[in-house]
Amino acid sequence: MEGKNFFRCFFFICSVLLITLLTIFNFPNPISSKVELLQCATNSAWCTSKNRILRHPTAASLRHDHTSDVPHHPLDPLTIIEMNKVHKVIKSLFENSAYTVHSLILEDPAKEVVLKWKKGDALPVRKASVIARASGKNYLLTVGVESGEVVEHDTSHISGYPYVTLEDMKKVMSAPFASAHFNRTIVERGVDLNNVACLPFSPGWFGEAEDGRRLVKLECFNTEGTANFYMRPIEGIIVVTDIDTNEVVELVDKSKHIPIPKAAGTDYRLSAQNGPVIKLANPVSMEQPNGPNFVIEDEHLVKWANWEFHLRPDPRAGVMISRAKVLDMETGLLRNVMYQGFSSELFVPYMDPEEAWYFKTYMDAGEYGFGLQALALEPLNDCPRNAQYMDAVFAASDGTPYVRSNMICIFERYSGDTAWRHTESPVVGVEEIREARPKISLVVRMVASLANYDYVMDWEFHADGLIHIKVSLTGIVIVKGTSYVNMNQVNENQELYGTLLSDNIIGVVHDHYVNYYLDMDIDGSDNSFVNVHLQREYTKGKSPRKSYMKVNKTVAKTEKEAQIKLKLYDPSEFHVINPNKRTKVGNPVGYKVVPAGMAASLLDPEDPPQKRSSFTNNQIWVTRYNKSEHWAGGLFAYQSHGEDTLQVWSDRDRPIENTDIVLWYTLGFHHVPCQEDFPIMPTISSGFDLKPVNFFERNPVLRVAPYVENELPVCKAAVSS
């Protein structure tokens, strides 16, 4: 019976281990063809255009063998060959003790080395950064790929542990079933043990009593009758378990009076729905019969329109964008915009202080690995038909490499928006002018499935120099069991900590925060941060107007001056400029962050979850560049105390004027669940922009040509053969 439960739990959580070898190749030259995007309405899955037949690419057409991959760029991820070499070193290093590899990735060369490197130069010495555990100790190692030389870095001053591995989770899910107390209480609740799945959740950190052990808290569900077992919580049971020993440390057994919600109506699969299926008679698809307008050189260097950037998967961040440059059409030069950008940390606190819920304050990137939870994307539904895909190579807990197929997709988007337009009426004495240009963008997408929630993460590049960074939330709201089936049963002043979504189901109020690391290098590394403050100014009788809006610019001298809380009625723009380079008319070149998703944390600053995730204390931060400061919640976020965070680094108040700086932005969502979120929530999205400000001499898309009917492909239904 325990074996059956173990297998069931393993299936739910570790489906991420089902790996296939898929990848992308054969990209056309983007310079040789115009953007030929078409939204094609057709009753057929196939379209023809200019004598071409367009079909959804099969797995075979994307298959690629990564065993012979070699690096071409200083920032290319470690290859299978390189990881196998490092694996041998690790085995030798820990030959006398059991060990676990939590991270095995490229150790980026020094920034100045990467900036000087040009294609054709020899690659800098390749090194691996390894995070491992052995004999109860965290190890942070640098390993020479070819030399095998090992350098150990001291981490004794940092609390916490590395993110848990998939193997950690697989192992610990069987622990509750070895407890007679657990088995007895499940049976007492009338649940068949064969229908129980217990899933591991990070415990947060709430005091020194929790130190010295890697803990996990397992919550259990009744899987009978539905694929959506999250809607059937066995409320009040929390199994506190030692990850390393698999020992049950504590069993919280409360709320036996609360019934387990029924399975009826919880399944979200189409096959389980009653009534007519909603399906467009004429499906809409985006087609590019002549191929995409981007290329991926040497597996990781993306070139599209006037953009060039390096793209690589990362087990913690998910997607890393590096060396982003944009072509200036006036000068013909590729200009630096951003050295590196990625999602640094997430924070998802649930707002229920009761015993079975207070600890649910997840830091998903640092506790689970954002990229590790990214499964293969679903063509046509996760990404459009014109998408291409990129695989990842990650390390298992023993250090051996494996392939995560189709982890990232790249595609061009046209949704009918305009890049710019204007109509001039003939009343001014000239012939009517009508000018409009289509807005095309390039999207890089990853989807991370973190247990119940799915995060769709987009980086969208526009020809006018703008970068749009978007987070979309969907998946399943984690719910709490209750005895209530209608709000008329609830006392007026009773706190539910959420919304009654269905019979015996409360969707608990929570937040989502995603922090982004943005190493802006605007025409070089020496940049400054400018607060462009907008304030009301009075005319003092000098005009029929009483007031107007005035702009005051202040350059931040130190890090504390760049700790920014956004205020609707005290607005500012926030610019990263290069004070050493100016436009022809004398403005410093720059980019500005255009905020959105501005939810702010309402937790007390001294609340342990808030101290650990103190990057949510402000929406904007700017720090002095430091290669070791990448993760806003700290290097070892799991059960961390909060002493290695963005807040701590920023409070050092280092000088940041006209030097190498990093911009951090925290995107936030408050989520008060509603019935429309049951049994699976429609996608909600928010994003922010990095926008040129006096970076170009004039509108950079003036030369974009309009669409002409006879230049576009014709899409029509094709008969299946």
Side-chain angles (χ1 to χ4, degrees):
M1 183 161 56
E2 290 178 12
K4 292 180 180 178
N5 283 292
F6 172 80
F7 177 77
R8 181 177 290 109
C9 294
F10 173 75
F11 174 78
F12 285 131
I13 289 295
C14 296
S15 59
V16 292
L17 298 177
L18 300 176
I19 306 300
T20 57
L21 293 170
L22 304 172
T23 193
I24 51 177
F25 61 101
N26 293 337
F27 296 98
N29 191 318
I31 307 300
S32 64
S33 62
K34 291 185 177 181
V35 175
E36 293 184 336
L37 301 176
L38 179 66
Q39 296 193 56
C40 170
T42 173
N43 287 314
S44 171
W46 294 1
C47 283
T48 60
S49 174
K50 297 183 179 178
N51 299 318
R52 292 173 181 260
I53 295 180
L54 305 178
R55 293 179 174 88
H56 164 59
T58 63
S61 70
L62 297 175
R63 198 168 296 281
H64 176 63
D65 181 7
H66 290 281
T67 56
S68 59
D69 287 354
V70 295
H72 299 276
H73 188 282
L75 298 177
D76 279 357
L78 294 177
T79 65
I80 288 177
I81 294 172
E82 292 176 318
M83 292 175 78
N84 280 328
K85 291 178 179 179
V86 176
H87 174 228
K88 289 181 180 179
V89 176
I90 296 171
K91 283 181 66 177
S92 174
L93 184 66
F94 297 113
E95 61 181 348
N96 296 321
S97 60
Y99 70 91
T100 303
V101 174
H102 293 259
S103 176
L104 197 171
I105 60 173
L106 175 76
E107 180 164 300
D108 285 6
K111 182 175 178 180
E112 57 269 21
V113 172
V114 176
L115 291 174
K116 290 178 182 176
W117 183 87
K118 295 181 178 61
K119 188 170 183 178
D121 293 349
L123 289 178
V125 174
R126 301 277 285 176
K127 297 179 181 180
S129 176
V130 178
I131 296 176
R133 276 184 58 78
S135 303
K137 178 184 174 182
N138 298 334
Y139 287 88
L140 176 60
L141 309 172
T142 296
V143 180
V145 171
E146 297 299 331
S147 69
E149 180 183 356
V150 178
V151 176
E152 181 180 348
H153 305 280
D154 180 28
T155 61
S156 60
H157 59 290
I158 303 174
S159 65
Y161 304 103
Y163 54 67
V164 292
T165 67
L166 299 177
E167 291 83 356
D168 282 334
M169 291 190 284
K170 166 188 167 182
K171 180 185 68 171
V172 79
M173 285 187 293
S174 64
F177 302 97
S179 165
H181 181 180
F182 173 82
N183 292 337
R184 185 169 58 253
T185 193
I186 292 294
V187 172
E188 288 172 354
R189 292 173 186 243
V191 181
D192 187 336
L193 280 164
N194 286 304
N195 294 325
V196 176
C198 295
L199 308 185
F201 294 92
S202 55
W205 181 81
F206 293 89
E208 294 180 359
E210 299 176 0
D211 288 344
R213 276 181 155 179
R214 279 202 310 152
L215 300 175
V216 70
K217 294 191 175 184
L218 291 101
E219 184 176 356
C220 302
F221 304 85
N222 188 339
T223 66
E224 184 180 12
T226 182
N228 191 358
F229 58 91
Y230 290 106
M231 292 296 128
R232 305 201 70 198
I234 305 174
E235 191 60 43
I237 293 181
I238 298 295
V239 187
V240 185
T241 304
D242 187 309
I243 298 174
D244 294 317
T245 66
N246 233 29
E247 174 193 355
V248 174
V249 176
E250 181 186 3
L251 178 62
V252 177
D253 185 9
K254 302 287 182 68
S255 307
K256 289 185 178 181
H257 66 286
I258 294 179
I260 297 171
K262 296 180 176 62
T266 62
D267 201 324
Y268 48 81
R269 294 173 298 179
L270 188 61
S271 60
Q273 307 311 308
N274 297 319
V277 174
I278 301 172
K279 192 171 185 178
L280 293 175
N282 297 305
V284 177
S285 178
M286 187 175 290
E287 309 295 348
Q288 288 181 286
N290 296 333
N293 293 284
F294 63 89
V295 294
I296 303 180
E297 293 182 357
D298 298 328
E299 306 290 342
H300 294 284
L301 186 64
V302 180
K303 295 182 177 181
W304 172 81
N306 52 342
W307 278 102
E308 174 182 310
F309 56 89
H310 186 274
L311 171 64
R312 79 177 192 240
D314 182 84
R316 183 163 180 170
V319 168
M320 279 199 169
I321 305 287
S322 303
R323 302 294 283 121
K325 305 175 186 179
V326 66
L327 179 67
D328 189 329
M329 298 300 292
E330 300 298 316
T331 65
L333 298 176
L334 269 174
R335 298 172 62 187
N336 291 307
V337 173
M338 183 175 70
Y339 180 75
Q340 198 163 69
F342 54 86
S343 53
S344 173
E345 189 55 88
L346 288 82
F347 179 41
V348 187
Y350 284 80
M351 303 303 170
D352 186 333
E354 294 185 347
E355 187 169 8
W357 278 83
Y358 74 89
F359 65 90
K360 295 182 180 181
T361 54
Y362 307 121
M363 299 170 68
D364 289 316
E367 293 177 338
Y368 298 104
F370 210 35
L372 289 180
Q373 308 303 318
L375 304 184
L377 294 164
E378 178 66 23
L380 301 185
N381 293 296
D382 280 330
C383 309
R385 180 157 31 195
N386 63 322
Q388 301 283 1
Y389 296 82
M390 180 179 289
D391 298 346
V393 178
F394 293 152
S397 63
D398 64 353
T400 57
Y402 66 89
V403 177
R404 175 66 47 80
S405 64
N406 290 10
M407 176 182 156
I408 297 171
C409 70
I410 307 102
F411 59 92
E412 289 167 286
R413 172 185 283 157
Y414 174 56
S415 58
D417 292 334
T418 55
W420 64 267
R421 76 164 322 280
H422 182 64
T423 299
E424 192 62 67
S425 170
V427 296
V428 295
V430 298
E431 185 178 346
E432 181 180 89
I433 298 173
R434 286 187 295 166
E435 293 282 339
R437 300 293 186 270
K439 173 175 278 195
I440 315 298
S441 61
L442 182 75
V443 179
V444 174
R445 172 171 294 168
M446 178 207 77
V447 179
S449 296
L450 293 149
N452 55 302
Y453 258 107
D454 295 69
Y455 292 80
V456 183
M457 312 293 286
D458 286 355
W459 289 79
E460 187 170 2
F461 295 83
H462 294 254
D464 61 3
L466 181 141
I467 304 173
H468 181 63
I469 302 166
K470 185 172 74 170
V471 176
S472 300
L473 308 178
T474 182
I476 300 165
V477 175
I478 200 76
V479 300
K480 179 179 184 176
T482 179
S483 59
Y484 301 126
V485 298
N486 194 287
M487 285 300 296
N488 61 18
Q489 299 172 295
V490 182
N491 295 329
E492 183 177 351
N493 297 322
Q494 186 174 351
E495 179 61 78
L496 293 182
Y497 306 112
T499 305
L500 189 66
L501 302 181
S502 187
D503 291 359
N504 308 120
I505 294 175
I506 293 173
V508 176
V509 174
H510 57 281
D511 288 341
H512 299 264
Y513 300 99
V514 184
N515 177 268
Y516 281 89
Y517 172 101
L518 304 160
D519 181 2
M520 306 300 290
D521 274 13
I522 308 301
D523 273 338
S525 295
D526 289 343
N527 289 176
S528 295
F529 178 71
V530 183
N531 186 332
V532 182
H533 187 224
L534 310 177
Q535 65 184 57
R536 182 189 301 156
E537 189 77 8
Y538 290 94
T539 59
K540 300 177 181 179
K542 296 179 181 178
S543 168
R545 288 267 297 272
K546 287 187 176 181
S547 60
Y548 63 99
M549 186 174 70
K550 183 179 179 180
V551 175
N552 287 318
K553 298 181 180 181
T554 304
V555 177
K557 304 292 185 183
T558 65
E559 290 171 314
K560 285 187 177 180
E561 293 179 18
Q563 296 178 356
I564 305 296
K565 288 180 171 64
L566 297 174
K567 301 173 184 177
L568 183 62
Y569 288 99
D570 187 17
S572 288
E573 288 191 355
F574 303 99
H575 297 186
V576 176
I577 66 164
N578 185 332
N580 309 301
K581 184 172 181 183
R582 296 181 177 268
T583 62
K584 291 179 181 178
V585 298
N587 292 310
V589 299
Y591 262 66
K592 65 180 178 181
V593 58
V594 183
M598 297 180 288
S601 178
L602 299 179
L603 299 181
D604 188 284
E606 294 303 312
D607 198 343
Q610 186 63 28
K611 291 185 73 172
R612 298 175 66 237
S613 298
S614 54
F615 60 85
T616 60
N617 287 339
N618 299 298
Q619 287 77 45
I620 296 174
W621 311 71
V622 178
T623 59
R624 190 180 182 94
Y625 174 81
N626 184 315
K627 186 181 177 181
S628 68
E629 296 173 2
H630 272 178
W631 311 110
L635 178 64
F636 299 144
Y638 201 95
Q639 291 178 244
S640 65
H641 300 181
E643 80 286 2
D644 179 35
T645 64
L646 175 56
Q647 177 79 64
V648 172
W649 308 332
S650 174
D651 282 346
R652 293 172 182 157
D653 209 22
R654 295 163 292 192
I656 57 170
E657 184 180 10
N658 199 11
T659 190
D660 198 354
I661 58 177
V662 176
L663 172 71
W664 309 73
Y665 185 80
T666 301
L667 192 71
F669 302 78
H670 294 310
H671 189 178
V672 179
C674 58
Q675 286 186 242
E676 289 81 2
D677 294 334
F678 174 84
I680 193 165
M681 62 178 284
T683 301
I684 58 173
S685 302
S686 189
F688 65 98
D689 294 333
L690 299 174
K691 188 178 186 300
V693 56
N694 302 318
F695 185 81
F696 298 104
E697 293 291 343
R698 57 179 187 161
N699 183 343
V701 289
L702 277 176
R703 301 183 190 179
V704 170
Y707 275 164
V708 179
E709 183 67 34
N710 62 11
E711 293 182 353
L712 293 176
V714 177
C715 190
K716 61 183 179 180
V719 179
S720 300
S721 55

